[in-house]
Amino acid sequence: MPSDLPEPLATSWRPLGTRTGQLNVLVLSITAETTLYEPVEPAVRGTTVGASEIPVRSLFTVDLSFSPPLPNVGIPPSSVFSQAAPKAKRQFVNTIEDEGLVIDGTRTTLEFEATNGESGVWYVLDVGYPVDPDLFGTEIDPIDAEVHVAVWPTETSYGMAGGTVPLESVADAVGETELATAADLPADIEVTPDCDRETIAELVRTIDLESDDETAE
């Protein structure tokens, strides 16, 4: 089940869709349920420019569940976190690449303390976000953006959350004079990276994925 966003994010963001994937590793069945969120207000959303189903300004949560739970097979999630975190990031990268985003590399890897007291890892990825040329009347290279991916151990699994931040508008990328001059051009992206980063940080600080963990027996 998709995780509910905490207040006040729940009033300004809405679910856009959920994708579920499953992977079998030895005796474990791993289910990843990724829920994507977009701003409620169209002026903030900035989705009209994209050639991807992932909005250029978005949030996401990932519910990872293991069957049987890791503690049941003698594996506390925190004990193998250093191996699990890069794999979780890699799987998420594959997902957003399938949606048309171009990954330019990992800019930053930081340690942070999750709300449950566990040590997590926060990745910042440099990405190119695809623009739909039909909307602007000219071929446009992907605009600069960044994706934040936070991963941390929970009692029986791992939490993941983050979001996508636009770093430039279409006009910034190609110059306003090169765009089609029709009066009905779609609204361009409002670029507010500091605000977007704080929104993502608030999500990571306040999201509760523990309640969705499968209880070890």
Side-chain angles (χ1 to χ4, degrees), residues 107-120:
R107 184 199 312 161
T108 306
T109 301
L110 300 170
E111 293 186 2
F112 76 101
E113 183 176 341
T115 54
N116 62 1
E118 295 282 0
S119 295

Side-chain angles (χ1 to χ4, degrees), residues 13-190:
W13 293 78
R14 65 185 183 187
L16 183 61
T18 298
R19 174 183 293 183
T20 301
Q22 195 163 34
L23 175 68
N24 293 318
V25 179
L26 298 178
V27 299
L28 297 172
S29 176
I30 307 170
T31 300
E33 190 173 68
T34 303
T35 302
L36 192 67
Y37 300 87
E38 66 177 1
V40 171
E41 293 295 331
V44 179
R45 198 179 308 152
T47 57
T48 54
V49 304
S52 171
E53 292 186 5
I54 299 177
V56 66
R57 176 176 284 110
S58 60
L59 299 175
F60 72 86
T61 61
V62 182
D63 289 333
L64 288 170
S65 59
F66 292 77
S67 181
L70 290 177
N72 284 19
V73 292
I75 306 175
S78 58
S79 69
V80 292
F81 179 68
S82 61
Q83 293 83 34
K87 291 181 180 179
K89 183 197 76 168
R90 192 175 308 119
Q91 185 60 44
F92 183 77
V93 165
N94 291 340
T95 298
I96 62 177
E97 284 183 326
D98 289 343
E99 294 297 338
L101 275 68
V102 180
I103 309 301
D104 294 327
T106 301
R107 184 199 312 161
T108 306
T109 301
L110 300 170
E111 293 186 2
F112 76 101
E113 183 176 341
T115 54
N116 62 1
E118 295 282 0
S119 295
V121 178
W122 191 304
Y123 302 98
V124 182
L125 312 178
D126 288 316
V127 305
Y129 183 83
V131 177
D132 187 348
D134 293 337
L135 294 174
F136 292 92
T138 185
E139 285 291 332
I140 300 172
D141 290 335
I143 60 173
D144 290 339
E146 63 187 31
V147 174
H148 294 247
V149 184
V151 190
W152 65 95
T154 64
E155 185 177 350
T156 62
S157 181
Y158 301 96
M160 287 184 68
T164 306
V165 177
L167 299 180
E168 65 178 347
S169 67
V170 177
D172 291 335
V174 302
E176 294 182 5
T177 58
E178 296 185 34
L179 297 178
T181 56
D184 59 350
L185 279 176
D188 205 350
I189 303 161
E190 181 181 357

Side-chain angles (χ1 to χ4, degrees), residues 176-208:
E176 294 182 5
T177 58
E178 296 185 34
L179 297 178
T181 56
D184 59 350
L185 279 176
D188 205 350
I189 303 161
E190 181 181 357
V191 180
T192 56
D194 288 343
C195 180
D196 291 336
R197 291 169 186 144
E198 177 53 36
T199 298
I200 294 169
E202 182 178 4
L203 170 66
V204 175
R205 286 195 302 262
T206 57
I207 190 68
D208 179 15

